[in-house]
Amino acid sequence: MVNRMQFYIDGAWVDPVVKKSTPVVNPATEEAMYEIALGSRADVDKAVVAARRAFETFSQTSREERVALLTRIIEVYKTRIKDIGASVSDEMGAPLPMAEKLQAGAGLGHIIATLDVLKNYHFEETVGSAVVVREPVGVIGMITPWNWPLNQIACKVAPAIAAGCAMILKPSEFTPTSALIFAEILHEAGVPKGVFNLVNGLGPEVGAAMSEHPDIDMISFTGSTRAGIDVAKRAAPTVKRVSQELGGKSPNIILEGADLTKAVTGGVMHMFNNSGQSCNAPSRMIVPLSKMKEVAAIAKGVADKTKAGDPRAEGTTIGPVVNRGQWDKIQGLIQKGIEEGATLVAGGPGLPEGVNKGFYVRPTIFADVTENMTIAREEIFGPVLVVMGAKDEEDAVRIANDTPYGLAGYVSADTVETARRVGRRIRAGNVNLQGVPNDRTAPFGGYKQSGNGREWGKYGFEEFLEVKAIAGFNAA
């Protein structure tokens, strides 16, 4: 039984300093399932004391010890895949098969990838008379979102453990159970007490306390750009490292000569995956102006086959969005698209046909979207795709880069050489060519207001390391 009314601090389940709780609502039914405890600054203080103490010894462990620890975590994680999948499905609405395979699977994938990095990483190198060593940063505060909960938790916790850091995790209050299961996994795997600590709570309370805490050396944050700015401001007086993965409004350029049916179909399906709740979703499809009607017809065909429904039901493509606030925001932006003159090709406001409760959004396509429209500028974070027309390749690149965000970009072209050329010109941290998905060993992160720092693989691991130069180490 998952313990939702306690926190995991210093290797044990403990009561909050002040008793306070909030309900967790199932987005498919709009009904509260249970309560979770909410933490305070005092709980963060307790977790930081435990983490600082643990860091003194854990930072001195050998590579071999940490390899053995990650290996045990992987083995225990595999036994909890179904538990994780069920919790993610219930709390954020992902269809159950997708929650088990992709949501829970992403977490496992990151731990395995981190283990491979740790086994082969060079912690020291010679530079002239100096030796340059890489050491753990220290105590890490981690703030993770609800949309890919295990993906974000694992790609922070695994490299932090591999580096020899100690940490405090504040998961989203909308998806707490998968994080609590993750704490159980680490406990069973034998993570030393104090190395991993979990405090549930709200951003303005627990998140703020972590960001401001003088004994936390780094904040690793994933979430909205608005919240990321607040975290950075609060962290500034203590000059702690801040690594952020924030919002996006990613362009999907489909050039003249590309396989239109394949590119449009793949782009729409990717956009609707996870009910559009992905920061790197290809939310702006940029196509040749002359192909707008053809693209709209193909996109409508995909939308019409996308079934929004019960996450536990057979044949469901997408579930609900996570909560009432998100649903209201998405509905407002759909209405704004209509009012500003975009062509509604599929979907629209309101609940899908045959649905009378739950935070379900109709899979929606807008065509003839121009750059000044609200739906072309703002991150919608729902199953809503905007299709924009470009005069030529140059215009497509210009439109792609006309955004304050820079997390991802996508290019489909007649040849891979063309896709490479255009991909190099997109100002984003991740660019996918010809429908090829991300590689977990390659870095993930953004330009501009999509954040700083990188996650995944070697680059994500190095975020948790300090660089020290010891001059004269190699002097004769």
Side-chain angles (χ1 to χ4, degrees), residues 40-52:
S40 64
R41 193 170 291 268
D43 297 297
V44 172
D45 288 342
K46 280 175 64 176
V48 172
V49 168
R52 286 241 71 91

Side-chain angles (χ1 to χ4, degrees), residues 419-441:
R420 286 173 184 153
R421 183 183 72 241
V422 173
R424 285 182 182 274
R425 298 183 63 195
I426 295 176
R427 297 285 296 164
N430 295 84
V431 178
N432 301 68
L433 308 182
Q434 306 291 70
V436 175
N438 286 331
D439 188 319
R440 279 199 193 102
T441 60

Side-chain angles (χ1 to χ4, degrees), residues 1-9 11-16 19-22 24 34-39 80 83 87 91 171 175-185 187 196 198-201:
M1 177 67 72
V2 177
N3 188 337
R4 299 186 179 92
M5 298 308 292
Q6 291 185 314
F7 307 138
Y8 186 74
I9 298 175
W13 293 98
V14 301
D15 291 331
K19 290 204 181 302
K20 188 179 174 187
S21 66
T22 189
V24 177
Y34 35 73
E35 298 269 322
I36 61 156
L38 293 177
R80 303 297 301 273
D83 295 336
S87 70
E91 291 180 351
T175 53
T177 301
S178 56
L180 294 166
I181 293 170
F182 191 78
E184 292 176 348
I185 291 167
H187 183 83
F196 173 84
L198 185 153
V199 177
N200 275 316

Side-chain angles (χ1 to χ4, degrees), residues 313-370:
E314 193 81 27
T316 293
T317 312
I318 60 172
V321 296
V322 70
N323 57 38
R324 169 67 65 186
Q326 287 294 120
W327 191 86
D328 287 342
K329 176 194 165 192
I330 294 162
Q331 295 301 312
L333 285 165
I334 290 172
Q335 190 58 45
K336 194 81 170 168
I338 294 168
E339 290 169 3
E340 292 184 353
T343 302
L344 183 64
V345 172
L351 292 168
E353 193 175 337
V355 174
N356 57 17
K357 67 176 177 179
F359 307 127
Y360 294 96
V361 176
R362 298 171 69 191
T364 297
I365 310 276
F366 282 105
D368 304 308
V369 175
T370 57

